[in-house]
Amino acid sequence: MIVLITGASSGFGRAIAKKFGENGHKVIALARRKERLESLQREIPQCEILPCDICDKVALKNSLASLPKEFQSIDVLVNNAGLALGIEPAQICDFDDWERMIAVNISALSFLTHLILPQMVERKSGHIITLGSIAGKYPYPGGNVYGATKAFVRQFALGLRADLAGTNVRVSDIEPGLAESEFSLVRFKGDEERAKALYKGSNALQPQDIAEAVYWVSTLPKHVNINTLEMMPTTQSFSALSVHKE
Ligand code: 8X3
């Protein structure tokens, strides 16, 4: 298979790229950080890299068009690029953070999907995989726009399934809970202590766990479509709804 992975320079994306690469698939790794992509490329036998800002529509189109012929028929698109910025309550957080999350998690994801889908439909084969989150389903304080973008991702994936009926193109939304990666460092704007403290003692999901899930859904027999796959570390669970008392 030819697999395009966004946000491939670190965390989930890197682990997903390696998983497909190690299993003999052709990998197209897209991310902004070129040196990181080059180091990934050295670890994967058949790997093309696209150093590109996923929010730059022109650059994205040009990068895809520049792919060698033998990498152009994309079988699996893994829409992994995404981020959370801030964990402050809605009334005091920075609106720029909201705009950035909407730009990456929603606009860029839907633009790239729209670019790639026609070739899959034409070949009557392909798989769109999105990285959602438990935050798209279960609200928590400070999740505000991040959770809302992931609710979009989930509903977008399900809506695609409806539109793609009869095309053989599969769509799956993978929805992880607490997972250890650069995610929290980005969310906490580089505060390493805070990010470390969040994961300490939690036995959180690891990027490799998410890579296994993505690989599993994409290598199932063609008549099987996993619509959504929610996963948490065993240590993570639900708690009671809060009631504020005067
Ligand atoms: C990340 C999961 O629980 O940190 O999407 O919001 S959580």
Side-chain angles (χ1 to χ4, degrees):
M1 293 191 294
I2 301 172
V3 187
L4 168 55
I5 300 140
T6 67
S9 57
S10 65
F12 298 176
R14 188 181 172 87
I16 294 164
K18 288 198 69 175
K19 178 75 188 174
F20 279 99
E22 281 160 8
N23 283 278
H25 300 286
K26 287 184 183 163
V27 169
I28 305 164
L30 190 147
R32 272 182 308 181
R33 292 174 289 190
K34 191 169 179 215
E35 302 79 59
R36 290 231 192 166
L37 288 179
E38 284 168 347
S39 102
L40 175 68
Q41 190 176 33
R42 286 192 284 275
E43 295 176 29
I44 297 177
Q46 301 185 83
C47 180
E48 283 292 318
I49 58 168
L50 300 179
C52 165
D53 177 355
I54 198 167
C55 292
D56 183 339
K57 289 195 221 160
V58 176
L60 200 52
K61 266 189 170 177
N62 291 340
S63 300
L64 285 173
S66 75
L67 281 170
K69 228 181 160 45
E70 63 277 18
F71 275 82
Q72 284 196 355
S73 296
I74 294 158
D75 296 295
V76 183
L77 166 62
V78 185
N79 277 314
N80 163 72
L83 78 170
L85 286 172
I87 188 89
E88 310 304 335
Q91 59 275 26
I92 60 164
C93 68
D94 187 346
F95 188 73
D96 289 347
D97 288 347
W98 284 9
E99 283 194 314
R100 178 80 186 140
M101 289 188 275
I102 291 167
V104 178
N105 301 4
I106 296 183
S107 301
L109 177 145
S110 41
F111 179 72
L112 182 59
T113 304
H114 187 261
L115 263 188
I116 306 282
L117 256 187
Q119 55 153 292
M120 291 185 174
V121 172
E122 198 177 323
R123 292 197 312 271
K124 285 207 161 242
S125 160
H127 199 157
I128 306 285
I129 299 178
T130 51
L131 262 296
S133 166
I134 59 158
K137 210 193 273 172
Y138 311 108
Y140 58 81
N144 47 64
V145 164
Y146 174 68
T149 64
K150 292 302 180 175
F152 170 92
V153 170
R154 175 190 173 84
Q155 200 63 12
F156 179 57
L158 295 174
L160 286 176
R161 286 231 65 223
D163 287 356
L164 293 166
T167 65
N168 275 336
V169 176
R170 300 190 286 184
V171 188
S172 307
D173 186 40
I174 310 296
E175 301 165 356
L178 186 69
E180 196 166 348
S181 70
E182 276 183 12
F183 176 86
S184 293
L185 194 61
V186 172
R187 179 171 232 176
F188 300 145
K189 318 250 170 103
D191 186 336
E192 285 185 22
E193 290 310 308
R194 203 170 170 194
K196 258 193 221 152
L198 177 70
Y199 298 124
K200 191 162 186 264
S202 70
N203 210 357
L205 294 173
Q206 298 298 312
Q208 184 59 33
D209 301 319
I210 284 76
E212 292 293 335
V214 169
Y215 191 75
W216 177 70
V217 302
S218 68
T219 50
L220 284 167
K222 291 273 192 268
H223 67 284
V224 181
N225 190 99
I226 301 297
N227 294 340
T228 61
L229 194 162
E230 183 181 309
M231 54 197 292
M232 288 179 180
T234 310
T235 53
Q236 188 172 31
S237 182
F238 310 101
S239 59
L241 293 173
S242 77
V243 178
H244 177 74
K245 296 188 179 169
E246 294 300 326

